[in-house]
Amino acid sequence: MTDLLSLTRSDLTPEELVRSAGEVLARFDHRTQDSGNVAWLVRTSSGEFFVKSAGEEMPPIGAPVPVLDRPSRVHLLRTAVEIARGIDHPALARLRTVIEVPSGPVLVYDRAPGELVGVPSARRDDPDSSYRRFASAPPAVRLSVFDQLLEAHRALEVAGWVACDLYDGCLMVDLATGHLTLIDLDTYRRGPSTNDMGRMFGSSRFMAPEEFTKGAPLDARTTVYTLGRLLRHFGTGLTEDLEDFCGGSARAAVVERATQRERTVRQGSVGELAAEWTAARDAGAAP
């Protein structure tokens, strides 16, 4: 058996490497995701790991959506490594090692507890889906997840990162403990930038208006909008009506400001959003 944690380099392909390490519990490729990456859940003698690679080649014709070429995917994986090694926060997935193989880096993470909140659109009406179960979880659980989400992004902001392609498919939530793990932050950008794509990567349910307009600024206010959309979507139990927000009217007002289409109305930074959120929470808890 290959000990993944002892390696920094291998001549094996990612598939061979993972299969030599233990029992493959799941494999994720173009049939289950649209990034073009290939990843595995593997059980080894050292524990269970989530292993991610850029894949050996482009997905076959007929993949659901166009994807980046492999060199671009390799570049984004190196962004994920930079984030993981530069920021120590309990809500960020724990990167254990990076193994260099001929096709690029293989990232080995601890398996995160819980379930992925994001599900295929066909399953969003299923009451047994992780998506619906999180949206209907007790307010204390959802609010704890929101606290962790904001604090993690305040740490990311301090380190200079702007969110891109942040959506419910980045949230692993353990409903038993309320613990959040953020995954797949590969496309985050270092510092403010300009929309160079037109329609950016991401889920339109959570994307800021500027993420659809080529040449528009992408900065902390963009991150604020997406965070606000996540809080609004799940905090209202999917109704989007802030009268239903699970955190009370003061925190609902913070979310309302964050999700304004006009950029200048939103909080100017994640730090400002988090501070308003905390002040509203504390005001609500006061006798």
Side-chain angles (χ1 to χ4, degrees), residues 170-216:
C170 298
L171 312 182
M172 290 282 295
V173 173
D174 185 341
L175 289 176
T177 64
H179 180 72
L180 168 71
T181 305
L182 288 165
I183 65 170
D184 290 345
L185 308 186
D186 313 13
T187 52
Y188 277 39
R189 295 190 170 198
R190 171 70 81 175
S193 63
T194 298
N195 181 336
D196 53 6
M197 295 174 60
R199 203 279 191 197
M200 302 287 294
F201 297 121
S203 167
S204 58
R205 294 169 295 150
F206 307 107
M207 292 166 65
E210 56 265 31
E211 293 182 273
F212 295 90
T213 305
K214 193 168 185 177

Side-chain angles (χ1 to χ4, degrees), residues 1-7 21-23 42-50 94 96-97 108-111:
M1 289 284 186
T2 299
D3 180 4
L4 293 175
L5 300 185
S6 69
L7 293 179
E23 178 188 359
V42 58
R43 178 181 291 134
T44 77
S45 58
S46 301
E48 294 185 1
F49 302 105
F50 178 77
R94 185 186 179 198
R96 297 295 297 276
T97 190
V108 181
Y109 293 91
D110 281 340
R111 180 177 183 175

